[in-house]
Amino acid sequence: MKFLKITAVLLFLAVGMTSCSTVKVASDYDQKVDFNQYKSFAFFKPGIDKAEISDLDKKRILRAIEEEMMSKGFTKSEEPDLLVSIFTKTKENINIYQDNRFGYGYGWGWYPWYWGTGYNTVNTTSEGTLYIDLIDSEGKELVWQGMGTAALAKEVNKKQERISEIVEKIFEKYPPGQMK
């Protein structure tokens, strides 16, 4: 019975960990804007300061955004075409897995016969949503917004990797109208 419980818990953890690797993304944009006109960017400090996350995570996000913007041919500038701002939301998800099987049978160990009901496994995950806003620096109007939602990494050494993955997936939607 113990072997079955351990196996089931490991199976649920494996399923949970693989499902965490997905990032759900969406974007919205001003359809009247010619995105080819934008060549440079800078971070919009007032907007970034309002993001309710740790300064370390802000640095990780900004590092990933800068990397993505540069890979798309943008240059960082004191007089940018686009201002980049971020907004974040987090929530805790509680997952309860129930196995309501009832029965008896032959198992492992000193007392191989078992009788009983199923078991419950409780798992919590933190899910975060990152919004990346691109603002026309001249008109101070939002021209593009990308959003990515995913399970967050708890281990320090995996945080940058996870944040980079989320930012990369969001920027797959930029510039609008181009399919990858």
Side-chain angles (χ1 to χ4, degrees):
M1 182 72 169
K2 198 174 201 177
F3 174 76
L4 292 174
K5 283 184 179 180
I6 291 172
T7 302
V9 169
L10 290 175
L11 178 65
F12 283 123
L13 285 174
V15 168
M17 295 302 281
T18 57
S19 68
C20 291
S21 66
T22 61
V23 179
K24 294 176 269 178
V25 296
S27 68
D28 194 8
Y29 63 96
D30 184 341
Q31 294 180 343
K32 294 183 180 184
V33 171
D34 175 15
F35 288 90
N36 292 321
Q37 68 179 318
Y38 300 120
K39 305 291 182 207
S40 60
F41 75 99
F43 291 110
F44 185 61
K45 187 167 174 21
I48 292 168
D49 287 344
K50 290 179 185 176
E52 295 181 8
I53 54 174
S54 75
D55 287 344
L56 292 172
D57 283 339
K58 280 182 192 175
K59 285 180 186 178
R60 290 179 181 108
I61 291 168
L62 297 179
R63 199 174 300 135
I65 291 172
E66 185 172 330
E67 192 174 296
E68 283 300 312
M69 295 289 284
M70 299 282 213
S71 75
K72 291 194 172 285
F74 285 91
T75 56
K76 201 168 179 184
S77 171
E78 294 291 323
E79 295 181 20
D81 301 324
L82 285 174
L83 297 171
V84 180
S85 187
I86 62 170
F87 177 76
T88 59
K89 290 183 183 178
T90 58
K91 72 177 183 176
E92 289 291 319
N93 291 328
I94 299 172
N95 305 308
I96 301 172
Y97 302 100
Q98 287 184 314
D99 183 351
N100 293 326
R101 288 184 271 177
F102 182 80
Y104 64 92
Y106 190 77
W108 300 91
W110 291 103
Y111 301 102
W113 291 96
Y114 66 88
W115 178 269
T117 60
Y119 53 86
N120 294 329
T121 304
V122 178
N123 181 17
T124 61
T125 56
S126 293
E127 183 179 80
T129 302
L130 171 63
Y131 294 86
I132 301 174
D133 294 341
L134 299 183
I135 303 160
D136 182 280
S137 63
E138 190 176 310
K140 302 290 189 264
E141 292 184 1
L142 180 66
V143 293
W144 184 86
Q145 183 178 65
M147 177 201 74
T149 301
L152 302 175
K154 294 180 182 177
E155 300 163 19
V156 174
N157 59 347
K158 298 204 180 212
K159 280 187 173 188
Q160 184 66 55
E161 180 182 323
R162 186 65 173 153
I163 288 170
S164 293
E165 177 187 5
I166 294 167
V167 170
E168 180 182 339
K169 293 288 186 189
I170 292 171
F171 272 105
E172 284 179 0
K173 301 277 187 181
Y174 186 89
Q178 287 189 344
M179 299 301 284
K180 198 168 187 187

